[in-house]
Amino acid sequence: MAKDVWVSDVHDGTFDGQEIELKGWVHRTRGSNKIWFLVLRDSTGIVQCVIKRNDVGDECFENLKSALIEASVTITGKVNVDERAPGGHEMVVTGGQIIGAVNADNPFPITESAMEGAEGGETEFLLDNRHLYLRTNRMTTMLKIRSSVFGAIHSYFRDLDFIEYHAPNFVAGAVEGGSTLFEVPYFGRKAYLTQSWQLYAEAAMPALERLYTIAPSFRAEKSRTRRHLTEFWHAEMEIAWGGNADVMEHGESLVRNIASTLLDERSDELQSLGRDLDLVARYADTPYPRIRYDEAIETLQGMGVDIEWGQDLDYSKEKILTQDFDVPHFLTHYPRIAKPFYHRPDPDDPKYVLCHDLLAPEGYGEIIGGGERTWSEKEILERIDEEGTPRDAYEFYIDVRRYGGVPHGGFGLGVDRVCSWLAGADHIREVIPFPRDSRRVTP
RNA sequence: GCCGUGUUAGCUUAGCUGGUGGAGCGGCGGACUGUUAAUCCGCAGGUCGCAGGUUCAAACCCUGCACACGGCGCCA
């Protein structure tokens, strides 16, 4: 019963001249009442099936002709090499049946015209019918790329003997500013959905030393941009005995590794999306420069941008700064006053903290935020107090420093943003099957 | 939270200075023995987002509301 022959095998030439059975869905149909072309789709691609009335008989011909778009069918036939067929191979049908019909009263709603509106964004209709839109070529391609990105992240860390480690998704407090937490009822108390794995990872850092995860993070931001989701996939890592530069090295290697994995595994998919492979190759091969915050401010001021030292760099500034970048750039050493308490002040100049953001080119924005953690008990208490945050909310975090604190650090990478950037997507929603934003939780 | 744009058939849309809403795709029927988003002929399918108002007359003008999309702030 299980399927063992795929459309891709037909185009590979594996079954040339042989009679096989294919299982899949009707992609498109066309033809006359003597010869009918049924384009069959499965997860590996599409193949043209040629149905001739004289070959299969009236009953089978009429039956297969009645299969509407997205009906599921099994088709038996002989694999034929024919240059008239898209892809060079086709099935000369000897028989077949409809497994799951589509009723003419309610045809498949995702039509060519529905997808015309998808360029440069997605229509309300396509978002409402996301469960069906998943079957289209563009979405399938995005999901395959996404799978390779996730695989590349796991491989990168596992090859370096990192331990995959899991933090809870229900949490009691915030990592950063409390306004962006989703509150959930929790048996008469309040709990929140996690924004980051980091605090829990720091707790395990003395146990595992090298750890990573890929997990969802939740932020209740009413952001309406092509870079934001309320539920996004967060790849995070934490290392003991490492500083800002070590963490940055990992961030750069990981991102370059993801780009080269996509070139190996998904170059056809990238090309079908119109992505320039040379661009992706550059992201895989070229080192990512480091720029200090002060240099960035000077550069921006030199360009006539109205910005003062001490301000955080918002997207409008990032955009100007990155417009001339041809690879991602790290921005390091932000002013202490612009960053939360867990960033360690630079011992060489405590006005700054040992942190970094990785900014993607082409306007895709920040893809990594990370740095060295404030790791001594004395410093963490100072930093918490100077922020005016109550200490008791962070008792367990302080304990990590109280019992054998060591230098350590880590980063968080927005996996969906990386997918969006490397695939050249128009919107982050394009790379996740069921996107969640401030206005949509369905389907 | 702020700013902007939009809502007409299942979908994508046209609809001028207000005068009984058109097309393409999809569906149905028919023609065609090699189509490539097939083509050709025909048919069905509309409370013009909702509620008020102006007018002899509103898809069109006015007011309010709802929803959506885009951008900004915030961030991965």
Side-chain angles (χ1 to χ4, degrees), chain A residues 107-371:
Chain A
F108 193 69
I110 313 295
T111 58
E112 297 287 346
S113 56
M115 288 186 294
E116 281 170 21
E119 296 196 24
E122 290 160 297
T123 62
E124 180 181 7
F125 178 78
L126 292 179
L127 290 165
D128 285 342
N129 288 280
R130 191 67 168 199
H131 52 296
L132 301 176
Y133 183 60
L134 294 183
R135 304 185 190 193
T136 62
N137 183 253
R138 184 173 178 88
M139 197 66 215
T140 305
T141 300
M142 291 293 189
L143 293 178
K144 288 176 181 174
I145 289 171
R146 182 181 175 91
S147 171
S148 287
V149 170
F150 276 67
I153 295 168
H154 282 292
S155 298
Y156 175 83
F157 286 117
R158 285 170 178 261
D159 286 351
L160 294 171
D161 292 324
F162 277 62
I163 304 293
E164 183 176 355
Y165 163 82
H166 301 111
N169 288 320
F170 288 123
V171 300
V175 175
E176 31 206 292
S179 61
T180 61
L181 286 164
F182 279 108
E183 189 179 303
V184 288
Y186 200 81
F187 303 113
R189 283 180 292 162
K190 286 176 185 171
Y192 304 91
L193 296 178
T194 186
Q195 293 180 301
S196 168
W197 162 94
Q198 180 193 327
L199 298 194
Y200 294 90
E202 288 189 60
M205 172 276 298
L208 300 174
E209 297 190 294
R210 294 166 289 181
L211 51 158
Y212 84 100
T213 198
I214 308 178
S217 283
F218 306 89
R219 303 222 173 141
E221 293 159 355
K222 288 189 177 172
S223 309
R224 298 195 46 73
T225 79
R226 54 187 64 194
R227 307 179 306 284
H228 283 86
L229 296 166
T230 52
E231 175 181 348
F232 68 97
W233 286 78
H234 211 172
E236 297 184 83
M237 63 83 82
E238 198 72 28
I239 48 170
W241 315 104
N244 196 40
D246 303 302
V247 175
M248 239 185 307
E249 282 299 317
H250 278 295
E252 173 170 352
S253 302
L254 172 62
V255 173
R256 287 170 59 178
N257 191 274
I258 293 169
S260 71
T261 300
L262 287 187
L263 289 171
D264 287 347
E265 297 180 3
R266 298 295 173 197
S267 53
D268 289 349
E269 283 82 0
L270 289 170
Q271 276 182 309
S272 82
L273 294 171
R275 197 62 168 141
D276 179 358
L277 294 184
D278 291 339
L279 209 56
V280 181
R282 192 196 296 155
Y283 302 147
D285 299 334
T286 313
Y288 300 170
R290 279 90 165 124
I291 306 173
R292 288 182 66 111
Y293 170 89
D294 283 7
E295 295 171 60
I297 294 294
E298 282 169 27
T299 304
L300 284 168
Q301 287 172 340
M303 294 166 96
V305 176
D306 182 25
I307 185 164
E308 304 263 316
W309 189 93
Q311 276 181 269
D312 208 351
L313 293 173
D314 60 43
Y315 181 69
S316 63
K317 312 289 189 306
E318 270 180 21
K319 205 166 160 183
I320 297 166
L321 189 64
T322 58
Q323 68 189 7
D324 299 324
F325 292 178
D326 52 4
V327 291
H329 282 51
F330 281 103
L331 226 58
T332 70
H333 298 83
Y334 280 70
R336 173 183 191 145
I337 49 171
K339 290 286 177 181
F341 67 88
Y342 56 79
H343 290 283
R344 185 184 177 207
D346 186 351
D348 295 336
D349 187 349
K351 251 190 342 184
Y352 302 94
V353 289
L354 298 169
C355 73
H356 61 270
D357 287 349
L358 182 63
L359 307 181
E362 303 179 74
Y364 285 92
E366 187 180 335
I367 52 175
I368 279 181

Side-chain angles (χ1 to χ4, degrees), chain A residues 2-62:
Chain A
K3 171 169 166 164
D4 56 3
V5 179
W6 307 86
V7 167
S8 57
D9 300 330
V10 172
H11 291 296
D12 284 350
T14 311
F15 296 111
D16 285 358
Q18 295 178 44
E19 171 129 358
I20 58 170
E21 184 189 55
L22 283 177
K23 302 176 181 185
W25 290 260
V26 177
H27 179 63
R28 295 291 183 269
T29 61
R30 48 185 173 260
S32 67
N33 63 19
K34 300 279 173 46
I35 181 168
W36 192 249
F37 298 92
L38 184 161
V39 181
L40 185 80
R41 172 186 70 75
D42 77 2
S43 58
T44 67
I46 59 175
V47 64
Q48 168 168 293
C49 301
V50 187
I51 306 159
K52 293 178 182 169
R53 190 185 285 274
N54 289 343
D55 292 352
V56 298
D58 291 344
E59 194 185 334
C60 180
F61 187 87
E62 293 300 333

Side-chain angles (χ1 to χ4, degrees), chain A residues 18-21 75-79 91-95:
Chain A
Q18 295 178 44
E19 171 129 358
I20 58 170
E21 184 189 55
I75 299 284
T76 55
K78 200 172 134 190
V79 177
M91 290 275 282
V92 179
V93 175
T94 53

